[in-house]
Amino acid sequence: MGNVTVIGAQWGDEGKGKIVDWLSSQADIVVRFQGGNNAGHTIVVRKKKIALSLIPSGIVRKNTISIIANGVVVNPKALLDEIKELKKSGIKVTPKNLILSENICLILSVHKEVDKIREKLKGENKIGTTGRGIGPAYEDKIGRRSIRLSDLRNKNKLNDKIKIVVDHHNIILKGLESKEISYKKIINEIEEVKSSIMKFSQRTNPIFEKAIFERKKILFEGAQGVMLDIDHGTYPYVTSSNTVAGAASIGSGLSVKKLGFILGIVKSYMTRVGSGPFPSELNNMIGKKLGEIGREFGTVTGRKRRCGWFDAVLTKYALSVSGADGIALTKLDVLDTFKEIKICVAYKLFGKKIDYFPISEYEQENVKPIYETFKGWNKSTKGARTWSELPALAVKYVRRLEELISNRVVILSTSPEREDTILVENPFID
């Protein structure tokens, strides 16, 4: 099978954008299968940075089709704004190279309003949501009251569904002593974007079937990271969707047998945005240095990321629940100037050593890292494109990571530039 499924194997921000962009040069179709415009990634093309939140990275490729599949929740205005920004960068977005599954669920202004109010009321116990309405939109989907793209075709059916959504959320807003949303506001909101967004809507199942029959290469692009998965992550400090590899099947309508090579993106150290447990976090000058060198600020929100040493226990768990066949290791060059580098190889929990990542929220908050210490290589790895260009101590660090996470490096990234990539094995194997 010549397909590849890409997932983040930490808390997101692993550098998926560059890897997906690099892989998309070989793909015929790139599919985004979960999340919303709360996720973002930056790709660098001709030394120009392009930030994407909803549209798959394949959009920058001339002969590649990008599909936003049914597992994604879409804010129509955010999508149209992103299309405008791409146009400014000289990238044409048309119904020929961008397709929206007709069964995607929409994010409306009421979802954003509820999201922000609820997060504010949590105070110190806030989750760290981006306030973009992703959670409430997924709640409506599970509650079977979502407005889907296909609903926009029939005015009477659409109006009935808008009333259901507005009535439901106004009960919540009233209970929170907040201003209620008017039915007319939502109708106008949808009418403003309806014609612009509907031209991208298609049945995606026949497209996938044809692609499989013709042996086309499909790249499935995940957002965020496994440790933010609603079932398998650091619950409740997680996103509202499943981010593991299996979600690519549910979020696209393709069989799990068609997901192909499962590639976990892994950063050479750890970062996290927002609240939640972070065993190897460094609240010191080392953590600050990691953040400064790695430019660790959120693509979508601009929020500063928390930084720490590589956590092999947590990463091994994330790769295991996704069934990863190999990893792409990113940002190795960020570690170039450290005299000493550490890897978390186990935890101490209430005085007892454990070698697994606990599921209990209470235990996650109380684990303490046990480290192995490595001598830093103090040489530049930036721009290396072969193993022989890497310092011996850098290679030793990578090999130890492979042992600890029980997985192999198939791609090694040494800078944000597309070309600065060491290819050990091509995930696109026929």
Side-chain angles (χ1 to χ4, degrees):
M1 177 58 60
N3 300 336
V4 175
T5 298
V6 173
I7 49 103
Q10 291 154 331
W11 280 293
D13 309 312
E14 301 94 349
K16 292 185 293 296
K18 175 196 165 171
I19 302 300
V20 171
D21 172 52
W22 189 83
L23 288 168
S24 69
S25 64
Q26 303 170 66
D28 299 293
I29 299 174
V30 181
V31 183
R32 171 77 184 276
F33 60 83
Q34 51 75 220
N37 62 313
N38 56 338
H41 52 258
T42 304
I43 57 177
V44 180
V45 182
R46 295 188 294 273
K47 296 186 178 180
K48 185 174 183 179
K49 287 186 178 181
I50 299 175
L52 299 172
S53 292
L54 280 166
I55 299 176
S57 301
I59 202 69
V60 301
R61 305 290 182 179
K62 195 174 181 181
N63 299 312
T64 303
I65 296 171
S66 292
I67 295 178
I68 300 177
N70 61 275
V72 181
V73 285
V74 173
N75 179 327
K77 189 178 183 305
L79 176 62
L80 294 173
D81 286 345
E82 199 165 313
I83 290 170
K84 285 177 189 174
E85 287 302 312
L86 283 166
K87 190 177 179 181
K88 288 178 187 176
S89 299
I91 297 166
K92 252 187 169 183
V93 181
T94 72
K96 288 186 177 181
N97 65 354
L98 177 65
I99 295 168
L100 306 185
S101 294
E102 60 180 359
N103 52 339
I104 60 168
C105 295
L106 302 182
I107 300 173
L108 305 169
S109 57
V110 66
H111 296 127
K112 293 170 68 177
E113 189 68 23
V114 170
D115 199 1
K116 288 174 182 175
I117 292 168
R118 291 196 308 203
E119 184 75 349
K120 188 178 179 181
L121 287 171
K122 285 174 184 155
E124 292 181 2
N125 297 313
K126 64 183 179 180
I127 300 296
T129 172
T130 59
R132 282 165 167 75
I134 313 298
Y138 272 115
E139 288 173 31
D140 276 359
K141 180 178 181 177
I142 299 303
R144 293 165 290 187
R145 59 182 166 265
S146 250
I147 292 171
R148 304 205 294 181
L149 198 57
S150 57
D151 295 326
L152 273 58
R153 294 199 190 106
N154 185 282
K155 192 172 183 179
N156 291 333
K157 174 60 74 174
L158 175 62
N159 289 347
D160 289 343
K161 295 193 82 169
I162 290 173
K163 191 174 187 309
I164 291 168
V165 170
V166 170
D167 287 349
H168 170 81
H169 286 290
N170 275 341
I171 291 169
I172 297 170
L173 290 169
K174 191 175 180 180
L176 296 173
E177 298 181 349
S178 298
K179 187 180 177 182
E180 294 179 36
I181 299 285
S182 76
Y183 170 72
K184 191 174 180 181
K185 181 185 176 182
I186 302 301
I187 289 179
N188 292 339
E189 182 182 322
I190 292 174
E191 280 298 321
E192 283 178 16
V193 298
K194 184 177 172 181
S195 61
S196 298
I197 198 171
M198 283 303 289
K199 65 183 180 184
F200 296 103
S201 175
Q202 284 192 45
R203 287 178 60 230
T204 49
N205 186 256
I207 297 169
F208 289 135
E209 284 185 350
K210 186 172 184 286
I212 295 295
F213 180 76
E214 294 177 351
R215 297 185 67 82
K216 299 283 188 185
K217 292 179 178 176
I218 304 173
L219 177 61
F220 297 93
E221 177 184 355
Q224 293 120 347
V226 171
M227 297 314 297
L228 294 175
D229 186 277
I230 188 71
D231 287 298
H232 304 287
T234 49
Y235 189 89
Y237 301 97
V238 291
T239 193
S240 303
S241 60
N242 287 108
T243 58
V244 293
S249 175
I250 297 166
S252 66
L254 262 171
S255 164
V256 290
K257 295 176 183 178
K258 308 297 183 187
L259 299 185
F261 191 101
I262 296 171
L263 179 68
I265 312 299
V266 174
K267 189 148 58 179
S268 300
Y269 54 99
M270 307 294 287
T271 60
R272 177 165 199 169
V273 172
S275 308
F278 186 168
S280 64
E281 182 173 11
L282 297 168
N283 292 308
N284 55 24
M285 291 306 293
I286 295 173
K288 187 179 178 183
K289 184 180 176 182
L290 280 169
E292 288 172 352
I293 297 172
R295 297 177 184 174
E296 296 297 349
F297 296 91
T299 303
V300 171
T301 62
R303 289 186 295 180
K304 190 177 179 181
R305 295 172 187 148
R306 300 153 64 190
C307 298
W309 294 124
F310 188 88
D311 188 331
V313 183
L314 181 148
T315 307
K316 182 180 180 179
Y317 163 76
L319 292 167
S320 173
V321 295
S322 273
D325 296 302
I327 70 164
L329 187 66
T330 66
K331 289 199 166 187
L332 183 68
D333 53 299
V334 172
L335 302 178
D336 285 351
T337 59
F338 288 85
K339 291 180 181 178
E340 196 175 79
I341 300 168
K342 295 183 179 183
I343 302 175
C344 173
V345 295
Y347 300 131
K348 189 167 278 190
L349 180 62
F350 307 126
K352 181 183 176 183
K353 182 181 178 180
I354 61 171
D355 61 358
Y356 62 90
F357 188 75
I359 293 299
S360 158
E361 181 184 352
Y362 178 67
E363 290 180 346
Q364 287 176 4
E365 289 170 347
N366 285 279
V367 293
K368 305 295 180 189
I370 297 173
Y371 290 116
E372 267 187 24
T373 303
F374 293 79
K375 185 180 178 182
W377 43 91
N378 284 295
K379 291 179 183 177
S380 177
T381 61
K382 191 169 184 176
R385 298 181 187 179
T386 63
W387 283 104
S388 61
E389 293 176 61
L390 295 175
L393 289 173
V395 175
K396 184 180 179 182
Y397 177 77
V398 173
R399 295 304 183 206
R400 183 56 177 149
L401 290 190
E402 288 179 315
E403 289 176 1
L404 291 167
I405 63 176
S406 300
N407 221 300
R408 69 191 194 281
V409 172
V410 297
I411 296 172
L412 183 63
S413 170
T414 56
S415 94
E417 299 296 329
R418 185 188 285 168
E419 295 79 12
D420 294 339
T421 306
I422 299 172
L423 179 65
V424 182
E425 178 186 331
N426 191 343
F428 274 116
I429 302 170
D430 287 315

